[in-house]
Structures are given as C-alpha cells and as structure tokens.
Amino acid sequence: MNFVITLTFSLLIVQFVFSQNIKNYSLSDSVIANQLIDSARSFETSALYDSSIYYYKKARDIYLNLTQNYSEPKLFKHISFCSNKIGWDLMMQDKYNESLNVLEQNLLFSLERLGDNDFETAQCYNNIATSYWRLEHLDKALYAYQKALAIIKSLSGEENLKAANIYLNIGNVYADKGQFEKSIEIQSKALAIQIKLLGNEHHNIASSLNNLGLTYNQLGDYDKALEYLLQGLSLRSKLLKPNHPTISSSYNNIGNILFHTKNYDEAIEMHKKALEIRIINFGEENPMVAASYNNIGNSLFKKGDYDSALAMYQKSLSIRQNTLPVNHPDFAYNYMNLGSVYSVKNDFDNSLKFHRLALSFRLKAYGEKHPLTAGDYLNIAEVYFKKKEFDSSLYFSQKSIVSLVSGFDDTTTFDNPELKEISLPQKLLEALSLKAEIYYQLSGTSDLNNLILSLNTYNLAVELIDKIRTGYKKEGSMLLLSEEIGYLFEKAIVVCLRLHSITNEELYKQKAFYFIEKSKTAVLQLALNDSKAKEFSKIPLDKLQKEKELKSDLSFYETEFLNEQNKKQNKDSIKLYDYQQKLFLLSLQYEELIKEFENNYPAYFDLKYRNDNKSIPDIQNALDSKSLMLEYFVGDSIIFIISITKLNYDIVELKKPEGFESLVKRFYSAIIKSQTTEYIEATNNLSDILIKPASNKLSSNRKIIIIPHDILYKIPFEALFTKPQKVNSKDLTKLNYLIKEYEIIYHHSATLFVKSFENERRASLKNFIGFAPIFPKDKNLGYTISTVNTPLLASNDDIIRSVSVDGKNYDELKYSEWEVNSIIDLFNKNNSSRVSTAYFYADAKEDSFKVNVKDYKIVHIASHSFMNEDQPDISGVIFAQPTDSVYSNDGILYAAETYNLDLSADLVVLSSCESGLGKLFKGEGMIGLTRGFLYSGANNIIFSLWKIPDKHTSELMVEFYRQMISGKTYSESLRTAKLKLIENKITSRPRSWAGFLLIGR
C-alpha cells in the first residue's frame, strides 16, 4: 500500500511539472524526462505495461524535441533507450508485431545515429531477437542475438552480465531448435560468468539454473536436470517471497522431472504447489494455470486414472481457449494428451483426430524439423500400430525420424539416418524401436527381408543408446535409461533368434548373445572403464589427485545431505541448504575437470567409452574345461538362458511363466522365514524353469558361473535343486541342493567376468586385514593384533561406548571376535610370511580401515550393515563408533565412499547382513555396497542376501578360510564351508548358509 501511495504521489508531481513545462521547457528537460522514465520503470516493475509505455513515450517525445536544437549523442541514446523499452513492454503483452515494428524502426535510428557498436544498438538487436524467439522464428532470433553479443563483446569483453544474458538467450534458442547439447554448452558459459560476477546467491543465477535444468530434462538426463532445478528452487526460496511466480515455475519443472522418473504422486504434489501460486498471482484464467492442470493430468494418466486425467486436460484446454490466440502452439499439448486418453480407451478414430490436430499446430509453429513435431508423428504411428495398420505406422514412424535428424529427409522407410545432428536422442530411440518392431510384425513367420530390416534398425537403436549414455552427466540418469530399454533388447534378441531359426547361421545366434550382454551393467562397465582410463591415459598426477579429492568431497556431502534430509524430526534447514550449495559447486568443478580430461587427453576418452563387450569365443577362452556359464535374461514375456562351456554354447528361449516374479519372492521369503514346505514347493518350480533347460550341460562340469538378470539377483542358485524334491521332506540335510554337486560363483555380466582375468593388479604387500567392532553392551578396550607384532592394547581413553547411529542401537556380535581371531590363527598356523592384521572393538574404526586397507590382499569386515533401497548411496557398513574428536570419520562406510577406496585386494569379504542387497535396476542389477568395491579394485567379493544368525555366519566364515588356506579356490572353499553347515541339522536350512554368495572368478 505504501508503494502505491508513493508511486501515485510521484506521478502527480511528474504530470504537473510535465503539463506546465512541456511547451517551454523552463525547467530542466532532462530532469523531467528522467522523472518520467522513473515512473515508467515503476509501472514496468508492477507489470502495468500500458502505463509504462505511456511514460516512456512522453520521455522520448522530450528527447526528440530537444534534438531539434541540440545534436548530442547522449540525446540519441536516450531516444533509443525509450524505444527499446517501449518495444520490450509491447512484447511483454504478447503484442509481437507492434513490438517488432517499434524495435526495427529503432534499430534503423540507432544504426544511423549511434552506429553499429553501441550498447543501445545491441539492446535493440537483443529485444528484436526475443520477439522473434517468442514468435518461434528461431533462425531470425539467433541472428539478432549474435549481432547483439558481438557488439557487447567488442565494447566490454565477454565477462560481463550483458554478455551472460545474451548467451542465455542464445542457449534458449538452441534448446528450442532441439540442439540441446549446444544449448547446455552456451548456457553453462553464461552461468560461469554470472557466478563469477554475482556470487552464488542471486536471482539471476536461479533463473540460469532453471533453464539448464529444463535443457537437461529434454536430453533425458533427469538426475542432472533435478540437481539444477532443486538448486534453483533453493535459491529462489531464500531470495524471493514465498508466492513469487518464479517459484511456481521451479515447482512445475521439478514436477515434470518427477513425472519422467515415474514418481507420479510426488509430481502431482509439485504441480499442485505450482498451481496454488499461479492462481494467487494470475487468477484461474491464465495460460500458466492451464499448464499446471495439464501437467497434473499427465501424472494421473500414467497412474491409470484416465477419467480424472481427461477432466484435467479439458479444464486446461478451456482456460487456453479463453486466454490464448486461436493458433497458439500450446493447444497442441492438450490435443496430444486427449489423443493419448482416447488411445488407451481404444477409441482410435478420436485418438487420431486429436493427434492430427496437435500435429497441425506444431507444423504451423515449428515446421517439420522439430522434436515436438516428431513427437506428434510418433503418437500417430503408435495409434496405427495398435490398430495393426503397420504400413501406416511405419510411414509415420519414419516421418518422426526425419523430423529428429538434421540433414536426413528420406521418407523411404527402409533407410535409416546416421546418428549426427539429432535434436532429441531419446525420442529418436522411441521412433527407431517402434520402426524395428513394425518390421518384425510385418515379417510374419518367415519374411527374411523384413527381419533383416528390423535387426538393422535395432542395431542403430543400440548404437544410439551408447551415444545417449555417453552424454549423461549423472549415474542416476544412466541407471534409469538401463531400466527403460530392457524391452528393446528383448525384442532384438527375439529377432536374432528368429533369423537363426530360418537361416541356421551362427552369426545371428551370436548377435543374440551380443544383445543380451549389451543389456547388462553398461553403467558399471563405464565406471570401471573410467577408473582404468585415469590410470593409463597419462593424466598428470596433480589433476588425478584433484579428481580424487573432489570425488571424495562429493560423496561426503551427499551422504551428509541425505542423512540430514531423511531425519524424521529436527531437520536442520540451514545445514541442508549449506550441503546443497557445496554439492552443487563441487559437482560443477568435478564435471569441468572430467570435461578437461575428455578434451585434452584422447586416450582417456577412448578408454572410458570403449565398447569392448566380449564375444562367445572370448568367454570360452576364459573358461576351463570343467566350468559352465549360465547367463539369464528376464524379459517382459520371455526368459532367455544362455549356457556356455569351453567347447559349445546354446540359447534357450522360454515363455515367461505367469506370476514368475511372485514365485521368486515366495522362494526368497520361504528361505528367510524358514518355511520348509513353501520353500521346497517354490524351489521345485524355480529349478524346473531355471536349471532344467541346461541340465544336459551340468553333468560334465563342476563349477557354474551364474550371470543373473533382473529379479534373479535375489536368488541364491546354490539353494535350487538338481531334481524335484518331495514337498513333505523334513530332513533338510538330504535335499538335492545344487551346491552339493557344483561350485557356484556369480558375476554381473560375462564381459566383466572375462575382464577380471585381464586386470593388472599391483602386488599386495600384506596378506589379511580384518575388522570386528563387535558392539558390546558393556565397555571394552579396543585392541589390534598382528601376525608380526605382538597384540597392541589400547589405552583407557579408547574405551568404546554403546553403539548408536541416529539413535539406533546395534546388537552385539559376540561371535565376530571369535571369527576374526580364528581366521588370524589359521594364517598363523599356515606360517604365512606376509602380515595379517585385525582390529577389534574401538580399534575397528573407519579411520583404521581407510588408512590401511589398500595394502592387503584379503579384506574382511565382520560387522553390521544396513541397506537403503530408495537411496543406495547411503547404505553402509558399521565400524566402531567415534568416541571423541580424534576420529576423522563418522563410523559408517557408506556405499558412496566405497568408490573412493584404493584397493589391491583380490578378495573382500562382507561378513555382515544384507550386504549384497540394494536397489534393483533391470539392466544393472543391485545398486548397493558391492559395486563400489569392484570399482575400487576388488576382484572377488563375498556378500550376503539376508540377515543370518551371528553364530552361523562365523562358523561359515572360519571354515571358508580354513579351506582357502589349505589351497582351495574361493569357490571351492565357500562350497565346502556350506556343505559343512548343511551336514548339521541345526544349520541345514538354507537360511543359515545360502545367503552368502561369491562375485568373482
């Protein structure tokens, strides 16, 4: 209210002075003009553009009148400034033609009076470009922005805010042209300039973060997009009023990311927050409100609530009809969504009507070569596919491909583009996948040509997947991609096997295996390649050290942030904000350093992104004559089982049984609950599906290497049967467990199994290191023992306290001390010449682990671990808890930290509960504790799938080491230890022994 009174009073004075002096200018004309401009700016700030234009025009009239008597450059600059502002304010009212008329006349004036190297001339180019941008005349907009930027750089160099703003505008144009990687490059340059000049906390920074987030969203790098958008929201929430319109934009954009990552309920909540703010600011009848209703509808649609989604879409359409010009491109979103609703309702005529209507709007606004146009073509293709009108579907899928690839205009459907100048890679992947599936459907039972066309298109799609993954900055986005493309690989495998059945050519069978391997652990392989690339690409040591420090800091602040955020009460908002700021800036530094590695060290880029999946002959060369590899692929409707031995291989295709996932869950549940009847029944069924098809290969081998997939990561195959067992069996020692006949090991993929033999390892100077925090209820001294040094007793200052992490007390593991002491004793009796060391109680701390673990061949942790399936990076292993400030770590080795270890270990044993669990991703397996140890250099890892009694764990582990020290391999030793437990009726149930698995070789 005070602002309004002051503004009104000021305007009355200006109007009075202006009316008295407009004719004779008895007062200073420049003072009057300046007061008019101040008034115009006040109205502009309040979005009262008609009033601001009125006063800018009055000020301009004064300056124009003065030029009749004075020919000063300063007057011309004032005139140009006012005209620029008038043009801008017209544009803010969507009066683009009027705006361009004013601005283009002003450009001629400015070029004549001020020249082509003046700030006002640059501003005029900038405003003209923005009008063209909003009118979707993108090439004209880009030309004008570049003219503006050239003037600004000539006058002031590159590092100034005007240049930064123009870079941002250019980045927006490239994004709208579908050139998202170019857009990110330019926007990132602008952001770097802004941070340097404005610091980290400024509303302009928030806007730039928001725009970058939107662009990463378009690329499908959702984790990176969310990082930028959350940072932008954090800044806006701190700097602006709670209901500021830009905060609603942040909520809206975050909601869209959550939608893409299938968090539909959370997305709806975000869109509702955005909607509330927009209604407060703009009222119900506003295009931004319409956008919020539309976005809420999208999540309801994905949840299967089609009627509610339809109501939201119609409400959005109604508002747009009342507020937007009849030809506005935003109508296309509503028509597209209405088309999708009618499609799922199998009302194909209405679906096609609305999708074609959406297409007509896109073509008028954007033309043929645009991602949104491509999306409409693809929607139409999908409706025709559902109608089984495959020729029409093929035509429109090809039109979609043409729209997405610059320089590719071939509508001949058997042609595919080169993967260059793609506007939206993920949309192209959808189009190629549909095209390949159409050719498969057209092939019938024996059409070889269509099958080959299908395979060629799948090949291109898989090549594109590699390209997409290479462009992602965050692992989470890569994991989501792996999750989403399983269907594509399943269909490609089917095509290969169909071709093999028709031609009997082995190359198609091997191609099927290629796709099976390609579908697995691409993200883990990329991480392992990255580790090797840093080692062998001659990057200077100081830069590698900097990378290691940044990575360590990132993992630290990430775990701190997530732990604080996950607190159910007493969250510290100041800490959260501080952690978020640190994470964001560290992430920028880390990405910049990695970009430097990729650009300046070609060997690093080559090694990191090298595609070297192993072939069947490669795998056969790595197998001995007594080993069988069983690799699985679990699709939506088919299970593939690949069996490979030294001399032969085979691929079996099975129809996936209905309720297969439920069967696996029943099996797992029956084991951990010790439900004997349910266990035998489920195991009989699973063994029939997973083992029986390869039974002819089993008899001649003694070791099985299991490569699981999807839900099979939760199956301990050693607990399956070699033949059906009676459901009413009571004596579990007599059951025909697979482990009774075979050694069993696991790996994430056949390629990684073979690569583990190729790894060059530095020699470990020391033999065994063990950690047993024990977590006693009473106070105890910490101590360390060594096979070389005498036992070291800690001082009274090292007395451990009752273990508590965030208020949680951990049960005492009284057998873990016996376990580790017994293992040390076994090494002593073996007269090992190398050092073996163990830390107990308070000495078994995280600090000791991190400092010493790099020097040992075998690393053993007997402790508690915990799993966070939603946020696997904060899963962890518990060490002795800090008792004073001398400790530099918090007593928990988080999964994120395991990637920063420097191991020379041949074996890591996680003798703790659920250490092999995590978040399951279809193409990647379990994301949890074990992956980081592999990344950091471990060749073999033993882990557990469930909670196992402390005593049984210790018995198993001690027997495992006894066998290993006697000369047996890891797999032989683990098998013998399990058989010993099976012989004892007390420990014969699978819960006691089957949970510990070996990844390795």
mmCIF file of all heavy atoms in Angstrom, residues 125 161 236 263 276 368 384 411 496 570 595 813 865 911:
data_model
loop_
_atom_site.group_PDB
_atom_site.id
_atom_site.type_symbol
_atom_site.label_atom_id
_atom_site.label_comp_id
_atom_site.label_asym_id
_atom_site.label_seq_id
_atom_site.Cartn_x
_atom_site.Cartn_y
_atom_site.Cartn_z
ATOM 1 N N TYR A 125 18.973 -5.037 -30.909
ATOM 2 C CA TYR A 125 19.106 -6.370 -31.511
ATOM 3 C C TYR A 125 18.589 -7.448 -30.548
ATOM 4 O O TYR A 125 17.902 -8.386 -30.948
ATOM 5 C CB TYR A 125 20.566 -6.663 -31.847
ATOM 6 C CG TYR A 125 21.027 -6.156 -33.194
ATOM 7 C CD1 TYR A 125 22.104 -5.265 -33.292
ATOM 8 C CD2 TYR A 125 20.418 -6.582 -34.371
ATOM 9 C CE1 TYR A 125 22.551 -4.807 -34.530
ATOM 10 C CE2 TYR A 125 20.858 -6.132 -35.613
ATOM 11 C CZ TYR A 125 21.910 -5.238 -35.685
ATOM 12 O OH TYR A 125 22.344 -4.801 -36.912
ATOM 13 N N LEU A 161 27.724 -9.009 -17.452
ATOM 14 C CA LEU A 161 26.380 -9.558 -17.290
ATOM 15 C C LEU A 161 25.549 -9.446 -18.565
ATOM 16 O O LEU A 161 24.704 -10.300 -18.835
ATOM 17 C CB LEU A 161 25.670 -8.864 -16.127
ATOM 18 C CG LEU A 161 26.254 -9.168 -14.744
ATOM 19 C CD1 LEU A 161 25.521 -8.382 -13.668
ATOM 20 C CD2 LEU A 161 26.190 -10.663 -14.442
ATOM 21 N N ARG A 236 15.736 -19.477 -5.069
ATOM 22 C CA ARG A 236 14.523 -18.664 -5.166
ATOM 23 C C ARG A 236 13.776 -18.621 -3.840
ATOM 24 O O ARG A 236 13.257 -17.576 -3.440
ATOM 25 C CB ARG A 236 13.615 -19.212 -6.270
ATOM 26 C CG ARG A 236 14.098 -18.844 -7.667
ATOM 27 C CD ARG A 236 13.315 -19.534 -8.768
ATOM 28 N NE ARG A 236 13.654 -18.946 -10.066
ATOM 29 C CZ ARG A 236 13.288 -19.443 -11.230
ATOM 30 N NH1 ARG A 236 12.554 -20.562 -11.271
ATOM 31 N NH2 ARG A 236 13.620 -18.848 -12.359
ATOM 32 N N ASN A 263 7.792 -40.958 -10.614
ATOM 33 C CA ASN A 263 7.343 -40.635 -9.258
ATOM 34 C C ASN A 263 6.081 -39.772 -9.364
ATOM 35 O O ASN A 263 6.091 -38.570 -9.105
ATOM 36 C CB ASN A 263 8.453 -39.902 -8.491
ATOM 37 C CG ASN A 263 9.676 -40.759 -8.303
ATOM 38 O OD1 ASN A 263 9.613 -41.832 -7.704
ATOM 39 N ND2 ASN A 263 10.803 -40.317 -8.828
ATOM 40 N N GLU A 276 -1.165 -23.569 -7.066
ATOM 41 C CA GLU A 276 -1.620 -22.678 -5.996
ATOM 42 C C GLU A 276 -0.995 -21.289 -6.127
ATOM 43 O O GLU A 276 -1.678 -20.263 -6.032
ATOM 44 C CB GLU A 276 -1.272 -23.296 -4.638
ATOM 45 C CG GLU A 276 -1.739 -22.477 -3.450
ATOM 46 C CD GLU A 276 -1.350 -23.105 -2.117
ATOM 47 O OE1 GLU A 276 -0.817 -24.247 -2.124
ATOM 48 O OE2 GLU A 276 -1.571 -22.460 -1.093
ATOM 49 N N GLU A 368 8.621 -28.906 -39.950
ATOM 50 C CA GLU A 368 8.852 -30.351 -39.957
ATOM 51 C C GLU A 368 9.982 -30.774 -39.028
ATOM 52 O O GLU A 368 9.903 -31.795 -38.367
ATOM 53 C CB GLU A 368 9.182 -30.813 -41.383
ATOM 54 C CG GLU A 368 7.988 -30.871 -42.315
ATOM 55 C CD GLU A 368 7.151 -32.117 -42.102
ATOM 56 O OE1 GLU A 368 7.571 -33.002 -41.329
ATOM 57 O OE2 GLU A 368 6.080 -32.200 -42.712
ATOM 58 N N TYR A 384 -1.665 -46.206 -35.031
ATOM 59 C CA TYR A 384 -1.790 -47.125 -36.167
ATOM 60 C C TYR A 384 -1.215 -48.502 -35.824
ATOM 61 O O TYR A 384 -1.735 -49.533 -36.275
ATOM 62 C CB TYR A 384 -1.099 -46.549 -37.405
ATOM 63 C CG TYR A 384 -1.954 -45.557 -38.170
ATOM 64 C CD1 TYR A 384 -1.532 -44.245 -38.341
ATOM 65 C CD2 TYR A 384 -3.176 -45.941 -38.713
ATOM 66 C CE1 TYR A 384 -2.321 -43.330 -39.038
ATOM 67 C CE2 TYR A 384 -3.965 -45.033 -39.412
ATOM 68 C CZ TYR A 384 -3.532 -43.731 -39.568
ATOM 69 O OH TYR A 384 -4.322 -42.847 -40.260
ATOM 70 N N THR A 411 12.072 -40.333 -46.695
ATOM 71 C CA THR A 411 10.869 -40.963 -46.174
ATOM 72 C C THR A 411 10.709 -42.398 -46.667
ATOM 73 O O THR A 411 9.712 -43.049 -46.378
ATOM 74 C CB THR A 411 9.620 -40.144 -46.556
ATOM 75 O OG1 THR A 411 9.595 -39.965 -47.978
ATOM 76 C CG2 THR A 411 9.628 -38.795 -45.865
ATOM 77 N N CYS A 496 16.848 -61.830 -33.610
ATOM 78 C CA CYS A 496 18.060 -62.596 -33.933
ATOM 79 C C CYS A 496 17.790 -64.095 -33.930
ATOM 80 O O CYS A 496 18.238 -64.823 -34.834
ATOM 81 C CB CYS A 496 19.167 -62.264 -32.933
ATOM 82 S SG CYS A 496 19.824 -60.606 -33.090
ATOM 83 N N ASN A 570 13.550 -32.837 13.702
ATOM 84 C CA ASN A 570 14.704 -31.970 13.980
ATOM 85 C C ASN A 570 15.657 -31.826 12.794
ATOM 86 O O ASN A 570 16.886 -31.791 12.952
ATOM 87 C CB ASN A 570 15.482 -32.486 15.202
ATOM 88 C CG ASN A 570 14.632 -32.518 16.457
ATOM 89 O OD1 ASN A 570 13.804 -31.631 16.664
ATOM 90 N ND2 ASN A 570 14.829 -33.528 17.280
ATOM 91 N N LYS A 595 35.524 -32.948 -18.041
ATOM 92 C CA LYS A 595 35.469 -32.420 -19.403
ATOM 93 C C LYS A 595 36.885 -32.122 -19.905
ATOM 94 O O LYS A 595 37.225 -32.383 -21.059
ATOM 95 C CB LYS A 595 34.630 -31.145 -19.448
ATOM 96 C CG LYS A 595 34.353 -30.642 -20.871
ATOM 97 C CD LYS A 595 33.693 -29.261 -20.860
ATOM 98 C CE LYS A 595 32.359 -29.283 -20.179
ATOM 99 N NZ LYS A 595 31.706 -27.942 -20.223
ATOM 100 N N LEU A 813 27.639 -58.447 18.381
ATOM 101 C CA LEU A 813 28.047 -59.567 17.534
ATOM 102 C C LEU A 813 29.161 -60.324 18.254
ATOM 103 O O LEU A 813 30.339 -60.222 17.914
ATOM 104 C CB LEU A 813 28.522 -59.063 16.163
ATOM 105 C CG LEU A 813 27.478 -58.311 15.337
ATOM 106 C CD1 LEU A 813 28.101 -57.755 14.065
ATOM 107 C CD2 LEU A 813 26.298 -59.210 14.992
ATOM 108 N N SER A 865 25.649 -54.302 8.693
ATOM 109 C CA SER A 865 25.479 -53.399 7.554
ATOM 110 C C SER A 865 23.994 -53.096 7.436
ATOM 111 O O SER A 865 23.159 -53.772 8.031
ATOM 112 C CB SER A 865 26.012 -54.032 6.258
ATOM 113 O OG SER A 865 25.363 -55.251 5.983
ATOM 114 N N SER A 911 31.235 -59.810 5.790
ATOM 115 C CA SER A 911 30.606 -60.765 6.700
ATOM 116 C C SER A 911 29.583 -60.019 7.543
ATOM 117 O O SER A 911 29.730 -59.833 8.752
ATOM 118 C CB SER A 911 31.671 -61.425 7.584
ATOM 119 O OG SER A 911 31.093 -62.360 8.460
#
